[in-house]
Every structure is written in C-alpha cells, then in structure tokens.
Amino acid sequence: MLAKEVFKGMAPYKPGKQIEDVKAEFGLDRIVKLASNENPFGFSPKVKQALPKLIENLEIYPDGYSTVLRAELAAKLGVQGDQLVFGCGSDEIVEIICRTFLDEGTNTIMATPTFPQYKHNALIEGAEIKEVPLINGYHDLEGMLKEIDEQTKILWLCSPNNPTGSLINKEQFDYVMDHCPNDVLVVVDEAYYEYIETEDVPDTVKEIENYPNLLVLRTFSKAYGLAGLRIGYGIAREEITTLLNITRGPFNTTSTAQKAALIALKDQQFLEESLARNVENKHQFMDFCTKNGLPFYDSETNFLFVQLPVSGDQMFEYLLTKGFIVRSGEALGHPFGIRVTIGASEDMKQLESLMSSYLTAIKEGKAQ
C-alpha cells in the first residue's frame, strides 16, 4: 500500500520512557517522572470521588456536542457555546485545524523549537513549513510576520512556549494581531495558561471580539491534571469553530472525559492549591539553578528548560539510573539542556542533589 509521499520522511511519535520499563531496567522501586509536564499533585479529589458514576453507561455513545461541559465552559469564558470546539486533548484540535485549512500549495509559519505537532500535522496535509528560530527562548515575532505571503494559512504561537516556557506578552500579542493579515489564522496555543504568573498577559479570549482570525487553544491535561482522559478545547469566532466542528469526528471526546472536565472546572480550590505549590517549587528550583550557574529560559509554565555544560542526553541518562525521568533537550532542538517538569518539593530537592553531584563529577573528571 502506498501512502502519501511525505510519510517517507516522517516517523511515528515515540513516547518517553515508561515508569515500569525504567523500574525493570535499573532495578528501582520508585520512579519520579518529570518529563511530560503533567501535574505532580494529581487531579481534583472530587473527580476521583465521582469516578464510579463517571464510568456508568459505557455502552452508550457520548454526547458529540459536549452540551453540559460546553455550557459551563462558555459561561466561565464569557463566550457563546458555538464558539467552542472540543478535542481529544488540544493536540487533536491542532490536527483538526490542519485538516481544515491546509493542503498542497499552502504554507504555515511556526517557531522552532516549539510544540512539534504543528509541523507534524501540517506536513501530512502537504503544506510547506516555515520555521523561524526562537531568540533567547522567545518567538521572533517580526521574523515570523515577514514570512507571511499569499499562500500562508496559519501562524502558530505557542504561549507560553513549549519547550522554553517563554510568554508572548500583551504588547507583543497586539503587535502580531495588528500586523497579521485577516485571512491568516492566528492560533495561540495556551496549554499552560493557568500557570502564568505575570499580569502582563493578553486576554486572548476577549480579543476574539476584535480579531476574526484568532483561535485560542487550552486544555484540561496540564493544570487540571486530566492528561489521561484527553480533553482540550478551542475558542474562536463561530465562523471558524463551525468549520472545525465539520472536520471533527462526531464522538471524539468520551463521556467520562466530559464529565470529569466539568467537575474539575468547578473545583477551583484544587486548581489554586496545585498552582501555588507549583510556583513555590519552581522558584526553589530556579534558585538552585542560579546558585549553580545553570542558565534557564524565562518560564511561565510548570516546567523549566535548564541549559547545561554537558549534553542533555548525558544528564538524562544519569538521572534515569537514579529513578528520575526528565526530557533531554537533544530531542527538542536544544542539545545542551534538559526540560524539567516541576514536581513535589521533596522530589525537586532530590533532583537538585543528583544534578549537583553529577555536574561536580563532570568538572572533576570523575563521571563516566
């Protein structure tokens, strides 16, 4: 069977090391996973309490319109229900966007490095990819705007950016929207929106009123801790979401995910508590990095990209033997660094100790 020609240069997504595999390989009893930007504090206890009821009637198809969740979320965001599109994680919405707007002869613009699914799905649709390198971890917005031509369909802005954590502030956002042609869709991916600390952030959802070509992505996978249930959403003008909902599969989010997201959305206490713990532990880790001369990118997320005097793979492999899974920068376009998800306080302190010991051994020529 012959697939599209582009598949010859592509490969399936390869997930990171799985916890049970690492335990078996190194004879470890406990693994601390700090590689996928998951919430180390879990998810709302109210969701856990409701789980027996959430899995009732699995023989029945889910509500393809996500009616109850849609109404609650629309009210919270101050938008109309039909301005929303739901996906099996926001990464499915990325796929839906590409299927809807891209084909051969078109192009799309993104930063590099950034969330890889923009490029992956655009390539499958036959679009040309225009990548503009980051500057000190930040989007080169002027450089991206200069790449726009008559064939450009989508401009991707990951804010805060993955893997650097850097944010596009209000002034920068306004500049992009005011200079981007109205027929180019601007997708602002805010998967880490809840983690943002600074007040210098655009109210992108409200700005949809002013910009008909704006689409905002958010998710329940990160701060809400529902990564295993796969549910995210997009917000835009109804003209855009109608097209996306035509492309979207009719039952793409499960009943369990919809109901869990609804409960999580209402449990602001859990959200606020986990966000506060993330801030405290992140700043603790930032202090460690500063004291040890390890530069890091500005981060408005639940992770920190740390630059190292050794390769990311070296540090990754060492930490793996000690039961800590991080993300090597070599797979993210930054070979001399690691991306570390902020974990529980004691885990972060242990990680700091391991990193310090390894870097000292490297310096003294004792590391293998």
Side-chain angles (χ1 to χ4, degrees):
M1 301 295 292
L2 296 178
K4 295 178 180 179
E5 189 70 19
V6 69
F7 280 89
K8 292 182 178 179
M10 301 177 71
Y13 173 76
K14 291 184 179 180
K17 290 274 189 177
Q18 299 302 299
I19 290 175
E20 294 306 316
D21 293 339
V22 176
K23 282 183 179 180
E25 183 177 353
F26 297 103
L28 299 168
D29 295 325
R30 181 173 179 268
I31 300 298
V32 179
K33 187 185 177 190
L34 303 174
S36 302
N37 305 335
E38 297 147 331
N39 189 336
F41 311 115
F43 55 93
S44 167
K46 294 181 179 179
V47 172
K48 192 169 189 176
Q49 185 179 7
L51 276 175
K53 287 192 174 182
L54 297 187
I55 59 173
E56 290 179 353
N57 305 122
L58 293 183
E59 74 281 7
I60 299 174
Y61 283 108
D63 173 7
Y65 190 66
S66 306
T67 304
V68 179
L69 176 60
R70 181 180 296 271
E72 188 73 26
L73 188 57
K76 180 179 176 62
L77 295 172
V79 299
Q80 298 299 311
D82 286 340
Q83 288 184 251
L84 297 172
V85 57
F86 291 93
C88 183
S90 57
D91 51 352
E92 188 196 21
I93 305 178
V94 171
E95 177 185 355
I96 291 170
I97 293 167
C98 290
R99 288 182 62 198
T100 303
F101 293 101
L102 298 177
D103 53 22
E104 291 185 13
T106 66
N107 69 63
T108 180
I109 301 167
M110 63 200 69
T112 183
T114 193
F115 185 53
Q117 291 304 104
Y118 311 147
K119 181 177 181 178
H120 180 87
N121 286 292
L123 284 172
I124 291 174
E125 299 305 323
E128 176 191 358
I129 311 299
K130 293 187 176 185
E131 296 180 290
V132 179
L134 300 172
I135 299 177
N136 296 323
Y138 286 88
H139 285 69
D140 176 5
L141 298 173
E142 287 193 13
M144 297 177 80
L145 289 170
K146 287 178 182 178
E147 290 293 329
I148 295 175
D149 60 28
E150 292 182 356
Q151 285 71 48
T152 303
K153 296 295 183 181
I154 305 172
L155 176 66
W156 301 92
L157 302 176
C158 187
S159 181
N161 186 51
N162 181 8
T164 58
S166 304
L167 178 78
I168 296 171
N169 66 24
K170 187 179 187 311
E171 181 182 356
Q172 294 166 333
F173 170 82
D174 290 343
Y175 179 83
V176 171
M177 298 308 301
D178 289 340
H179 288 80
C180 183
N182 288 336
D183 61 349
V184 174
L185 181 67
V186 180
V187 180
V188 182
D189 187 348
E190 296 184 333
Y192 300 93
Y193 173 78
E194 291 82 5
Y195 287 105
I196 297 172
E197 295 179 62
T198 181
E199 294 182 1
D200 187 15
V201 58
D203 187 344
T204 50
V205 173
K206 188 168 181 57
E207 291 295 345
I208 290 170
E209 298 174 8
N210 300 320
Y211 300 107
N213 57 327
L214 176 60
L215 170 59
V216 180
L217 301 183
R218 293 184 185 172
T219 184
F220 287 95
S221 295
K222 303 301 182 185
Y224 288 98
L226 299 182
L229 288 179
R230 313 304 304 122
I231 186 160
Y233 58 96
I235 318 108
R237 293 273 188 100
E238 190 175 341
E239 310 90 89
I240 293 174
T241 54
T242 296
L243 294 172
L244 299 178
N245 278 312
I246 291 171
T247 306
R248 177 182 61 83
F251 304 113
N252 64 324
T253 60
T254 67
S255 299
T256 303
Q258 291 175 30
K259 294 172 184 176
L262 181 63
I263 295 170
L265 189 65
K266 294 179 179 180
D267 189 359
Q268 288 299 298
Q269 181 179 348
F270 167 78
L271 181 66
E272 290 171 6
E273 288 175 355
S274 63
L275 293 179
R277 294 170 73 182
N278 174 81
V279 168
E280 181 180 352
N281 296 348
K282 181 172 76 170
H283 284 272
Q284 169 192 302
F285 187 49
M286 290 165 65
D287 289 343
F288 161 79
C289 292
T290 300
K291 289 175 183 176
N292 286 272
L294 300 175
F296 52 87
Y297 289 118
D298 297 333
S299 175
E300 293 288 340
T301 63
N302 67 334
F303 62 83
L304 204 66
F305 191 96
V306 183
Q307 300 174 61
L308 302 169
V310 297
S311 77
D313 279 358
Q314 281 179 269
M315 181 63 78
F316 165 79
E317 293 291 347
Y318 170 75
L319 293 175
L320 196 63
T321 66
K322 305 299 181 181
F324 280 76
I325 308 175
V326 298
R327 193 84 158 99
S328 170
E330 299 222 15
L332 303 171
H334 276 286
F336 288 91
I338 53 173
R339 190 189 67 192
V340 179
T341 305
I342 304 304
S345 180
E346 289 305 311
D347 291 336
M348 295 304 295
K349 289 176 182 177
Q350 188 178 353
L351 175 72
E352 292 167 11
S353 177
L354 291 170
M355 289 179 63
S356 181
S357 297
Y358 184 67
L359 292 172
T360 298
I362 288 285
K363 195 172 183 180
E364 295 176 353
K366 297 179 181 179
Q368 296 182 353

